[in-house]
Amino acid sequence: MDVQPNNQQIQLIKVEKAYGKHNVLSNCNVNIKRGEFVVIVGRSGSGKSTLLNLIGGLDKPTLGEINILGYSLHTLNEEKLSNLRRKYFGFVFQFFNLIPTLTALENIRLPMSLNGISKKDSINGAKLLLKELRLSGLENHFPDELSGGEQQRVAIARALSHRPEIILADEPTGNLDLETANEVLDLLNTTCRRRGTTLIMATHSKEVMGLADQIFSIRDSEIKKAST
Amino acid sequence: MNTLLCVAATRFYLKRPWQLCLAIFGIALGVAVYVGVDLANDSARRAFNVTASLINGSTTHQLVGTANDIPNSLYRDLHLKYGVRFAAPVIEDGVRLASNTRRELTVLGIDPLKETEFRGFSSFIPGSETNLPQLISEPGTALLPESLMSELGLERDDELGLLVGNIEKKIRVIGTVRDISLTAEGATAPIIMDIATAQELFNRTTISRIDLILNDSEAEDLTSLDLPNVLLTDANDRNASFDELARAFQTNLTALSLLALLVGVFLIYATMSFAVVQRRKTFGVLRALGVDRNQLLLVTLSEALIIGAIATLLGVLLGHQLANSLVELVLQTTGDFYFRSNVAPATPSILLYIKGFILGVATTLAAAAAPALDAAHTMPQTAISRAKLERSTRKIADRAALISVPISLAALVLLGFSTKSLYLGFIGLFLVIAASTLLIPTATRVFAKLVEPALERSFGISGSLAARGISASLSRTGVATAALTVAVATVIGIGLMVSSFRISVDEWLSGTLTADIYLSTESENVFSNSRIEELNAIQGVIGTSITRFIRVPTEQGELTIRAQRAGPLGWGLSLIEEFPDAIERMESNEGILVSEPLAFRQGLEPGDKLPLPTKQGKEEFTILGSFKDYNTNGGTILMSLSLYRTYWNDEDINGVGVYLDTNSDRENTISEIRTFLEETPSVRYRSTDFIQEQSLSIFDQTFKITEVLRVLAGLVAFLGLFSALMSIEIEKTREVATLRAMGLDPRQIGILTLSQTSLLGLASGLFAIPLGIIMAILLIYVINVRSFGWSMSLVLSSQPLLFGVLLALTASILAGIYPTVRAIKFNVAPQLRDE
C-alpha cells in the first residue's frame, strides 16, 4: 500500500456520523494538506474524538466519503485499514494508552516492529527518539513506573517512531499540568514540523490554536473552519 | 508473529503468576483425570485380555457343561470315539492364600503332556530347573509364578497353604513358571498343577472344561454329534456378557473423566476470556496502531496453545501417576465382573499419552477460540470502551439464553428417541449441560437484581454496589458463574447418583435376603435331602429355602441360573414388569423370570422365549417377567427348583437359606446350626447382616473410583472459582480506589468485595442444585440403565446438595479474602492516577 501523490492529503466530503438517533457530525467537509497542523476544538462530547476516529479509520461514517492519502476509506476492508494505520498513522491519546506490559523502549519500538523494521534499527530509532524527547535513562521503565508527562512523551515517541504521514492526537495534554502540557505541545509541534508530518489535534487548549495552520470548530454537530 | 506482541503477551501472564498457575493447574487436573482414567481403563482391559489369552493359549473352542462340570470320560471319548486330535482337559478354579485370605489366585489344572499343543508354554514358561513330569508323578505338587515365589519367600520343595472354601490344603512347590515377560503386559501367571492334583485339591472327579483346537469343519462335525450335557462354545465368546459389563463400566468412567475435562474446558474458556477482557484496552490500542485481526487472533491462540501445552504436559504426567492409583480400583471392579482378581495392571500404550496430549491441547485451543475471535473481531474504538463491551455481553447473554431452548429440546428428543444407546445418552447429557450453561449468565444478572434490595438493606451502599457490580461486569461474572455451576453441578450430580444407588442396593438387599442365615458350598452332594431335613428340625429353625446355582453357556455368554424353592417368607423378589401373577406362574413351572439387566441388554419381554442348554438339549423357556438385580454376574435366570430338576436332571443343592423363629433363643439356634455344620467343613456360613455389610462394602469399593473422580472434579471447580473471582476483584482495583477516595471506609470495601465474591459463589451453588439434580436424573434413569440395565429411584439426600453449595461458597469466600485485604491496604492515590 503506497501513498499516491495528492496535495489534499485528507478529505472529508459531506460526512455524517450518527449513533442511533443521535447525530454527532453532519455535513462535514474538511480538507487538510500534507504537513499542516490542524486543531479541532469544541465542547466535551461535541464530536472531536469521533472526527479523529473517522479520519483514522477506527470508525465508519454513516454517510459521506473520507479520502486519506488518495484512498477512499469506505473501499478498504479491515485488513487494509489496519495496514493504512500501521504505516501512515500515529496516535496520541489523552490517557496515553501505552501497552502496560512493554517497557518505554519497547512501546516506542512497537510500531517500527509492526512495520517490519529490524530489531537493531528499531532499537536505535527508539533510543534516538528517547533522547530527542528527553527520556534517556527511562528505556527499561514500564508505564506504571513513569509520571504522566513521561508517559505522554513515550506515547508521542511511539506515534512518531515509524515516521508516519499523519499524527492524530486526541486531547494529548488533557491529562497533564500546564507546564508539562506546554512542553508536550511544543515537542509534538516542532517534531512534526521538522519531519513534515501532518498533525491533527483535538483539544480544549487555547494556546495550541496560535500554533495551528487550520482550526475547525465543532458545534451542534456542525464543523466550521475558524480563522487562525 | 511479531516479537513485541509475544513479549507483551508473555509479560501479561508473568505479571499475574497466580492467575497463570491456577489456570495451568486447573487445566492440568482436568487433563490428568481424563488421561488417568483412560490409562487405567486401557491397563485393566489389556491385563484382562492378556490373562484370558494366557489361560486359553491357542484354544479355539471349549466344551463346557450345561449344568455341572464335565465327566472325565468325555475327554477320553473325544480322542477314542470322536477322533478329535487336539483336546486338553482343564480345571480352572479359584483359591485363597491361607496366610492372607484376601489374596485370591487362579489354579489351572492341566495335562502337562498336552501343554505344548495348547498354551505351548508360550504364556507360562517353566523355570530352568522345573521338572514337568514330576507334576504327574508326584501328587500334591505345583508350579508357582516366580513373582509369587519371591513375594512369599518360598523355596523349591516348600509347602504352601491354600484355602479351598474354608478348608486349608497344602501343596508342595516343585518349580516355577516364569511371568517376567508377562508382568509388563499385565498378567500374573496362574498356579499350575497336574489335573489329577487339581481334582484332589478341589475334591472333584470332574473337569471344568475341555479346551480344543478345531478348524471350522471340525467344529461343525463336533456340534453335529450333539453331545449330551455339554455345549461347544467359541473360546472368545465365553465372557461376552462380562465383557459388556466391563465395557459399560469403563465407558462410564471415561464419560465421568470427560466431565472433569469439560470442567477443565470451562476453566480454559474462563481463563482466556479473562485474559482477553483484561487486555481489551491494550488490544484496542494495538488495533489503532495497525495490528490486524489475524495478528491478534494468532497472538491469543498462541497464548492458549502454550498454556494448553504446558498444562496438558503436566496433566499427562499427573494422569500417569493418577492411573497407577486408579488402575487398582478399575481392576478391582472389573475383576468383580469376572470373578477374578489375580490380574496385575498392564503398562499402558504410549499412544494413549499422545492421545491425551493431543486432546488436551486441542480442547484448550477449542475453548480459547471464542475469546480469541472476540479479541480479534472487536472494532478498535469499541475495544477501548468497557461500557460497550458490557452492553454487547448482555445482548449475547440474552441470545445465549434463547439458544438454550432449542438445545434443551434437542437433548429431550435425543434422550426420548434413543432408548438403548449409551453414547447417545451421554450426548444428551452433555447437551443438557450446554443448554444450562447458556442460561447461566442471564440467570446471574436476574439473581443479582433480585438480591440487590436485600443486600442494600443489610449492608447499605456496599451491598447494593456488590450486586450491581455483578450485572455491570457480566463479561467476567457470567463466564465464571457458568463454569463454576457446571463444575459444582457435576459434583452434586455424581454424589446424588451414588447415594441413590447405594440406598437402592441397600433396600434391594434387605428385600432379597429374606432368610437369616445363608449356607453355600462349592462341593458336590453336600446338601442331601436328609441333611436339609435335619437342618429344619433344629429348634428355632422355622424353614429353609434351597437353591441350585449353575452357570450355563449361552450365545450371549455365560449366565447364572438360580433354581430355587422359596422359604417361608417367599421369594424376596422385586418385580419390574406389571405381571402380578408372574411368581405364581413361575412356581407352577410355566416359565422363568430374568434379571432386569439381562432383560434390558437382550430386549427380553414377558412372553418371549429364551433358549437355554439343558440336559435334554436346547430348550426354550417362556419369560414371565423380570426382577431387580444389582449383581454383576452378567445376568440371572430364576426358575423353580422343580422346573430345573425336570430339564437338568440335577438333584444337587449348593445354597440354603435358613429362617429363624424370632421368638426362639437365636444364639442357641445359631450355635446348634454351627455344630450341625461341623460335619461339612466345605459349607460357608454367612449371616444376612454379614452379606449386607459385605455387599455394601463391595459397593463402596466399586464406587471409590467415582468418588475419586468427584473429588477431583470438585478440586477443578474450586480452582476455577478461586481464580475467576480473584481475577474479577483484582481487576476492580481502580474502581475500589475511586470508592475509597469517595469516602468508603475499609470495612465497607471489605463488605463490598467479600459480598460480591460470596454472591457469585452462592449463585453458582444455587444454580448447580437444579442442574446437579437433572444430571443425577439422567445418570440414574438414562446412563445407568443403558450401561448396566439397573433401574433405581432418585433419592434427594441433602448431603451432596449441601456439599456442592458449601464448595462454591468456601471457594468464593477464600477467593475474596486476598482482594479484600489488598483493597483495604493499598495506597489509593497511585491507583487513581494510573489509567
Side-chain angles (χ1 to χ4, degrees):
Chain A
M1 186 178 258
D2 293 318
V3 179
Q4 293 167 17
N6 187 341
N7 196 32
Q8 296 299 324
Q9 199 183 29
I10 299 166
Q11 281 184 308
L12 275 73
I13 306 161
K14 293 183 179 174
V15 166
E16 288 192 25
K17 178 69 187 175
Y19 292 109
K21 288 180 182 172
H22 177 56
N23 240 9
V24 181
L25 293 171
S26 12
N27 198 24
C28 181
N29 293 292
V30 172
N31 284 303
I32 299 169
K33 290 178 192 165
R34 183 185 297 272
E36 276 190 330
F37 181 5
V38 177
V39 168
I40 301 162
V41 292
R43 290 183 173 181
S44 297
S46 60
K48 301 190 292 293
S49 298
T50 303
L51 183 62
L52 289 187
N53 285 341
L54 290 172
I55 293 171
L58 297 172
D59 206 349
K60 287 179 177 160
T62 316
L63 277 176
E65 193 181 331
I66 301 171
N67 297 315
I68 307 287
L69 301 163
Y71 293 98
S72 281
L73 292 193
H74 71 274
T75 63
L76 302 181
N77 61 18
E78 260 306 312
E79 194 188 335
K80 285 184 176 160
L81 279 173
S82 293
N83 204 5
L84 187 81
R85 282 198 297 272
R86 186 161 64 223
K87 275 190 170 175
Y88 304 119
F89 281 93
F91 286 86
V92 182
F93 303 94
Q94 182 180 0
F95 292 109
F96 327 134
N97 286 340
L98 297 176
I99 306 299
T101 49
L102 295 180
T103 62
L105 184 85
E106 287 165 340
N107 261 291
I108 299 166
R109 274 185 60 214
L110 183 60
M112 290 190 270
S113 173
L114 290 171
N115 279 295
I117 297 169
S118 72
K119 186 177 178 183
K120 190 180 162 193
D121 289 347
S122 68
I123 290 174
N124 289 337
K127 280 185 175 171
L128 271 175
L129 274 167
L130 280 164
K131 197 175 170 188
E132 201 175 333
L133 296 172
R134 296 189 304 281
L135 290 164
S136 299
L138 299 175
E139 289 88 343
N140 297 321
H141 283 56
F142 284 95
D144 60 1
E145 295 165 344
L146 300 171
S147 70
E150 286 165 342
Q151 284 191 56
Q152 195 59 302
R153 275 187 281 155
V154 173
I156 291 168
R158 182 177 70 182
L160 290 165
S161 67
H162 56 304
R163 296 191 168 270
E165 294 284 329
I166 302 158
I167 285 187
L168 300 173
D170 192 357
E171 303 201 24
T173 57
N175 206 30
L176 301 172
D177 63 74
L178 193 61
E179 194 179 336
T180 314
N182 286 336
E183 199 179 328
V184 164
L185 271 178
D186 187 44
L187 262 173
L188 257 177
N189 183 31
T190 51
T191 316
C192 287
R193 294 273 186 206
R194 195 171 64 245
R195 294 184 173 195
T197 310
T198 306
L199 174 62
I200 305 172
M201 186 185 292
T203 184
H204 290 294
S205 167
K206 286 182 179 165
E207 285 79 4
V208 183
M209 294 182 204
L211 303 169
D213 299 314
Q214 285 197 80
I215 300 169
F216 290 99
S217 163
I218 304 176
R219 194 171 178 178
D220 298 330
S221 83
E222 297 225 340
I223 188 162
K224 282 183 182 163
K225 192 171 174 181
S227 55
T228 51
Chain B
M1 197 166 31
N2 188 281
T3 327
L4 282 175
L5 292 181
C6 295
V7 169
T10 310
R11 289 205 190 122
F12 169 79
Y13 287 104
L14 293 179
K15 279 197 166 187
R16 294 158 180 82
W18 56 268
Q19 191 178 345
L20 183 64
C21 287
L22 284 174
I24 285 179
F25 192 59
I27 298 165
L29 210 55
V31 172
V33 174
Y34 172 76
V35 172
V37 169
D38 206 21
L39 292 178
N41 274 346
D42 179 67
S43 175
R45 194 165 38 234
R46 293 201 308 128
F48 279 109
N49 287 342
V50 170
T51 307
S53 65
L54 187 134
I55 301 285
N56 290 342
S58 318
T59 306
T60 59
H61 294 77
Q62 291 173 332
L63 270 178
V64 288
T66 50
N68 318 75
D69 287 337
I70 299 172
N72 283 340
S73 56
L74 179 64
Y75 171 60
R76 194 180 56 237
D77 290 349
L78 278 179
H79 277 298
L80 300 177
K81 274 170 78 174
Y82 309 123
V84 174
R85 284 179 301 156
F86 300 110
V90 176
I91 288 183
E92 186 185 343
D93 216 331
V95 289
R96 285 173 294 149
L97 278 181
S99 56
N100 175 10
T101 55
R102 296 173 71 93
R103 182 74 189 272
E104 292 185 26
L105 297 163
T106 297
V107 166
L108 204 61
I110 54 160
D111 179 350
L113 300 176
K114 292 281 176 189
E115 274 314 292
T116 44
E117 292 158 5
F118 279 82
R119 280 150 283 275
F121 297 125
S122 58
S123 306
F124 43 91
I125 304 162
S128 53
E129 292 176 19
T130 300
N131 183 359
L132 272 176
Q134 208 180 341
L135 273 182
I136 305 171
S137 61
E138 292 184 26
T141 55
L143 307 180
L144 249 60
E146 282 177 346
S147 57
L148 188 65
M149 285 282 274
S150 60
E151 182 191 326
L152 300 175
L154 292 174
E155 298 285 330
R156 199 182 154 89
D157 288 326
D158 278 355
E159 281 201 331
L160 175 67
L162 296 175
L163 276 185
V164 181
N166 288 336
I167 306 166
E168 184 175 345
K169 297 204 172 172
K170 300 276 184 196
I171 55 164
R172 189 159 60 85
V173 182
I174 58 159
T176 56
V177 283
R178 272 188 247 156
D179 54 4
I180 298 162
S181 62
L182 298 163
T183 45
E185 286 300 319
T188 303
I191 296 175
I192 306 292
M193 54 182 69
D194 179 59
I195 195 147
T197 306
Q199 283 180 328
E200 199 182 318
L201 181 77
F202 294 108
N203 192 24
R204 61 203 277 179
T205 54
T206 55
I207 50 181
S208 304
R209 61 171 197 266
I210 298 171
D211 284 355
L212 302 159
I213 301 173
L214 303 173
N215 59 32
D216 290 346
S217 69
E218 287 171 330
E220 271 179 37
D221 290 346
L222 198 58
T223 310
S224 65
L225 289 173
D226 211 9
L227 295 169
N229 307 327
V230 289
L231 198 74
L232 184 70
T233 62
D234 190 304
N236 295 321
D237 290 346
R238 205 173 148 218
N239 286 326
S241 56
F242 299 118
D243 286 344
E244 206 175 315
L245 269 180
R247 233 187 347 263
F249 174 72
Q250 292 181 344
T251 307
N252 267 275
L253 285 188
T254 305
L256 288 181
S257 71
L258 280 172
L259 266 181
L261 187 65
L262 183 74
V263 176
V265 167
F266 273 102
L267 202 60
I268 300 162
Y269 179 75
T271 305
M272 289 312 297
S273 290
F274 277 125
V276 167
V277 156
Q278 282 171 318
R279 284 176 297 169
R280 286 191 80 85
K281 193 176 143 189
T282 300
F283 290 153
V285 174
L286 289 173
R287 292 293 316 277
L289 293 178
V291 174
D292 63 37
R293 285 175 172 169
N294 290 339
Q295 281 176 301
L296 273 188
L297 186 69
L298 195 64
V299 168
T300 36
L301 282 181
S302 304
E303 289 169 16
L305 183 69
I306 291 166
I307 293 172
I310 294 170
T312 304
L313 196 64
L314 191 65
V316 170
L317 294 175
L318 277 174
H320 173 79
Q321 288 302 317
L322 186 65
N324 289 338
S325 318
L326 292 182
V327 72
E328 289 299 330
L329 296 174
V330 177
L331 281 173
Q332 237 158 29
T333 308
T334 38
D336 285 345
F337 294 150
Y338 287 86
F339 297 109
R340 259 193 238 135
S341 54
N342 62 330
V343 180
T347 311
S349 159
I350 187 79
L351 287 175
L352 291 183
Y353 292 93
I354 297 169
K355 188 179 109 188
F357 185 80
I358 291 172
L359 188 76
V361 174
T363 312
T364 311
L365 280 180
L373 284 170
D374 181 39
H377 280 86
T378 318
M379 291 291 285
Q381 80 284 7
T382 316
I384 303 172
S385 163
R386 172 71 188 276
K388 280 186 183 173
L389 164 72
E390 294 304 337
R391 270 200 299 276
S392 78
T393 304
R394 274 198 287 277
K395 274 185 196 164
I396 292 168
D398 291 344
R399 253 180 253 152
L402 286 176
I403 292 170
S404 74
V405 177
I407 293 179
S408 306
L409 288 175
L412 282 177
V413 169
L414 201 64
L415 292 167
F417 279 92
S418 72
T419 50
K420 286 262 179 184
S421 167
L422 179 59
Y423 293 101
L424 288 181
F426 275 119
I427 292 173
L429 173 66
F430 279 89
L431 280 179
V432 168
I433 294 173
S436 314
T437 311
L438 291 172
L439 264 178
I440 288 164
T442 299
T444 308
R445 190 155 58 93
V446 174
F447 174 77
K449 206 167 187 177
L450 288 175
V451 296
E452 192 193 331
L455 279 175
E456 190 168 13
R457 272 196 301 278
S458 308
F459 302 111
I461 185 74
S462 301
S464 171
L465 283 172
R468 279 188 206 175
I470 289 173
S471 302
S473 321
L474 202 64
S475 63
R476 282 89 157 148
T477 54
V479 174
T481 319
L484 302 164
T485 303
V486 171
V488 176
T490 304
V491 173
I492 290 177
I494 297 174
L496 278 177
M497 185 270 283
V498 174
S499 64
S500 300
F501 199 175
R502 198 178 193 281
I503 290 168
S504 296
V505 170
D506 198 12
E507 284 173 356
W508 171 71
L509 284 168
S510 303
T512 307
L513 302 171
T514 52
D516 297 283
I517 294 161
Y518 285 89
L519 308 174
S520 59
T521 181
E522 302 287 317
S523 304
E524 294 162 11
N525 303 320
V526 174
F527 294 116
S528 60
N529 284 342
S530 58
R531 289 286 290 168
I532 302 284
E533 277 170 26
E534 281 174 48
L535 188 62
N536 275 320
I538 291 173
Q539 179 80 34
V541 173
I542 56 165
T544 49
S545 65
I546 53 174
T547 312
R548 174 65 170 152
F549 289 101
I550 60 158
R551 304 269 311 153
V552 290
T554 70
E555 284 159 13
Q556 289 79 30
E558 280 192 356
L559 298 176
T560 300
I561 288 182
R562 186 175 134 203
Q564 193 169 338
R565 193 185 71 205
L569 295 185
W571 291 81
L573 290 177
S574 171
L575 286 182
I576 303 294
E577 300 295 342
E578 290 299 314
F579 287 92
D581 57 347
I583 293 176
E584 287 77 11
R585 290 178 66 197
M586 180 184 65
E587 281 179 323
S588 58
N589 295 345
E590 285 180 44
I592 57 171
L593 297 178
V594 290
S595 65
E596 186 189 17
L598 181 64
F600 178 81
R601 233 184 12 256
Q602 297 188 17
L604 301 174
E605 301 279 345
D608 288 353
K609 304 275 186 192
L610 183 69
L612 293 172
T614 71
K615 284 211 172 165
Q616 300 167 14
K618 195 173 268 187
E619 291 286 341
E620 289 198 327
F621 294 85
T622 307
I623 294 166
L624 304 171
S626 59
F627 59 95
K628 269 197 180 183
D629 186 9
Y630 293 118
N631 269 310
T632 54
N633 59 7
T636 302
I637 294 151
L638 183 65
M639 63 176 70
S640 73
L641 193 62
S642 56
L643 184 71
Y644 169 78
R645 285 176 170 171
T646 307
Y647 284 95
W648 274 267
N649 196 23
D650 169 23
E651 295 293 316
D652 206 3
I653 292 296
N654 47 12
V656 176
V658 184
Y659 295 78
L660 304 183
D661 185 353
T662 46
N663 299 320
S664 68
D665 183 350
R666 196 180 168 88
E667 291 304 312
N668 188 44
T669 310
I670 290 171
S671 164
E672 278 194 46
I673 292 171
R674 285 192 178 278
T675 312
F676 166 81
L677 291 175
E678 277 170 10
E679 285 178 38
T680 46
S682 66
V683 173
R684 198 168 174 201
Y685 169 100
R686 282 177 300 176
S687 70
T688 301
D689 289 345
F690 175 80
I691 295 175
Q692 191 144 1
E693 199 179 294
Q694 282 286 100
S695 305
L696 288 176
S697 136
I698 290 170
F699 177 91
D700 292 338
Q701 186 68 36
T702 307
F703 278 94
K704 211 182 221 174
I705 186 160
T706 314
E707 205 51 31
V708 169
L709 293 183
R710 191 164 86 103
V711 169
L712 287 172
L715 193 61
V716 178
F718 184 89
L719 287 174
L721 183 65
F722 189 77
S723 67
L725 293 184
M726 208 135 102
S727 302
I728 290 170
E729 291 308 320
I730 285 179
E731 219 207 349
K732 292 165 81 175
T733 304
R734 187 177 161 80
E735 185 185 317
V736 169
T738 310
L739 292 171
R740 287 281 306 276
M742 287 165 67
L744 258 74
D745 63 31
R747 191 187 63 86
Q748 286 173 304
I749 295 293
I751 290 172
L752 168 66
T753 312
L754 266 181
S755 52
Q756 193 161 68
T757 56
S758 308
L759 213 54
L760 282 172
L762 185 67
S764 300
L766 291 177
F767 297 155
I769 290 177
L771 180 57
I773 293 173
I774 291 171
M775 281 171 81
I777 288 171
L778 292 177
L779 286 171
I780 289 171
Y781 296 106
V782 178
I783 305 301
N784 251 315
V785 174
R786 294 183 188 188
S787 300
F788 307 107
W790 293 324
S791 70
M792 65 193 87
S793 305
L794 172 70
V795 181
L796 275 179
S797 48
S798 55
Q799 191 265 341
L801 300 178
L802 277 176
F803 177 76
V805 177
L806 276 178
L807 175 80
L809 263 181
T810 312
S812 62
I813 290 168
L814 284 178
I817 290 174
Y818 172 67
T820 304
V821 172
R822 195 168 171 268
I824 291 169
K825 285 191 170 173
F826 72 29
N827 193 354
V828 175
Q831 302 298 337
L832 284 171
R833 183 186 67 85
D834 185 20
E835 175 58 34

